[in-house]
């Protein structure tokens, strides 16, 4: 993994990205820390052309986005148009909003719609991924929902954006999952998993948790992963301090 492959997921900084002025200030801080790329998510109602100009103005690349779940499935062209305006080719379905995994019909409909949307993205020269949480490890048809999604849909129409924290939280083996997604995972969320003395689980900066990122990154690289995206859903203090701590740890310990 090279340092220019390390990105920050802007959902981590969402409270500082709600206006164009705030986004510009945030991008300057992100670039000063050392990140060279961002994933667009959690921003306020800023026009995509303006977002692109702000990001590029700080010498940053938009490696990917998260688009609204319903928009991806039910208004796919709108999501495609936004990616084209932002100047990136990679996005992910962020969360199965409104999907009840206890209801087989919901699962089957989700698979059908993801497959159809992924085909439309592919026809436009773009790529649709799936971003997992823990609930996709719910058992379905003798496997997990996440397994079922990936085995039911061609890699041409749906790639993986594994989230390391949520794989662990769902009971999966992170290295095993990354290995299994070889050739199908152009991006990954690096998110550490912390357990305290009271057995309480929390998000934390990379290197402060339990996940074996040296092995995770090695497996992801072997499988052709292009983007290693730092994300921390919640931070104990200033999120800029947290993303700097993660970046510094990665640069010191995980860069080849």
């Amino acid at each position: 993994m090279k340092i220019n492959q390390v990105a920050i997921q802007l959902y981590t900084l969402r409270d500082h990205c709600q206006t164009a002025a705030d986004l510009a200030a945030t991008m300057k801080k992100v670039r000063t820390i050392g990140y060279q790329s961002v994933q667009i998510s959690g921003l306020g109602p800023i026009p995509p052309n303006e977002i692109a100009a702000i990001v590029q103005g700080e010498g940053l690349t938009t490696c990917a986005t998260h688009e609204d779940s319903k928009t991806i499935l039910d208004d796919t062209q709108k999501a495609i148009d936004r990616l084209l305006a932002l100047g990136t080719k990679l996005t992910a379905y962020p969360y199965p909003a409104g999907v009840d995994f206890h209801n087989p019909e919901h699962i089957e409909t989700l698979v059908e719609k993801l497959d159809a949307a992924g085909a439309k993205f592919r026809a436009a020269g773009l790529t649709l991924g799936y971003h997992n949480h823990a609930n996709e490890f719910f058992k379905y048809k003798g496997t997990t929902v996440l397994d079922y999604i990936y085995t039911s849909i061609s890699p041409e129409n749906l790639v993986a954006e594994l989230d390391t924290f949520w794989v662990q939280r769902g009971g999966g083996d992170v290295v095993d999952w990354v290995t299994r997604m070889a050739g199908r995972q152009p991006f990954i969320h690096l998110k550490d998993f912390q357990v305290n003395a009271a057995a309480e689980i929390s998000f934390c900066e990379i290197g402060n948790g339990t996940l074996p990122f040296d092995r995770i990154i090695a497996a992801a690289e072997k499988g052709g992963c292009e983007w290693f995206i730092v994300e921390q859903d919640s931070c104990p203090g200033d999120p800029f301090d947290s993303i700097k701590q993660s970046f510094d740890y990665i640069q010191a310990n995980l860069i080849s």
Side-chain angles (χ1 to χ4, degrees), residues 6-46:
V6 179
I8 182 65
Q9 160 65 308
L10 293 184
Y11 182 77
T12 308
L13 305 171
R14 58 197 177 276
D15 292 341
H16 303 272
C17 297
Q18 295 306 300
T19 68
D22 285 346
L23 178 63
T26 293
M27 293 303 91
K28 188 176 292 294
K29 290 180 180 179
V30 164
R31 190 68 188 91
T32 298
I33 288 168
Y35 290 96
Q36 298 178 41
S37 190
V38 299
Q39 181 176 29
I40 301 296
S41 178
L43 274 61
I46 308 166

Side-chain angles (χ1 to χ4, degrees), residues 121-140:
F121 275 92
R122 178 164 55 87
L126 308 174
T127 301
L128 176 63
Y130 189 94
H131 172 260
N132 67 278
H133 289 79
N135 49 348
E136 286 90 353
F137 289 85
F138 178 76
K139 291 295 185 181
Y140 181 67

Side-chain angles (χ1 to χ4, degrees), residues 40 46-53 56 62 65 67 77-89 126:
I40 301 296
I46 308 166
N49 290 335
E50 190 170 358
I51 294 170
Q56 293 166 12
T62 298
T65 77
E67 299 301 316
Q77 189 59 50
K78 181 178 179 180
I80 289 171
D81 291 343
R82 187 166 188 269
L83 257 66
L84 294 173
L86 289 169
T88 190
K89 295 186 175 182
L126 308 174

Side-chain angles (χ1 to χ4, degrees), residues 66-74 79 82 91-95 97:
H66 274 184
E67 299 301 316
D68 176 73
S69 300
K70 183 174 175 56
T71 300
I72 286 175
L73 299 185
D74 299 329
R82 187 166 188 269
T91 192
Y93 178 84
Y95 185 76

Side-chain angles (χ1 to χ4, degrees), residues 152-225:
S152 299
I153 302 175
S154 166
E156 293 183 342
N157 289 346
L158 190 74
V159 299
E161 184 188 46
L162 290 179
D163 183 297
T164 58
F165 177 96
W166 291 117
V167 172
Q168 179 81 1
R169 188 75 169 93
D173 181 293
V174 180
V175 176
D176 176 63
W177 265 96
V178 171
T179 301
R180 288 166 58 191
M181 292 296 107
R184 191 178 186 166
Q185 183 169 247
F187 53 169
I188 185 172
H189 274 183
L190 304 183
K191 186 185 299 181
D192 215 341
F193 184 96
Q194 190 174 66
V195 181
N196 67 17
E200 297 166 332
I201 294 167
S202 63
F203 305 104
C204 66
E205 297 75 18
I206 304 298
N208 284 349
T210 64
L211 294 183
F213 280 108
D214 53 345
R215 294 170 53 218
I216 291 168
I217 289 169
E221 281 193 296
K222 186 176 180 180
C225 187

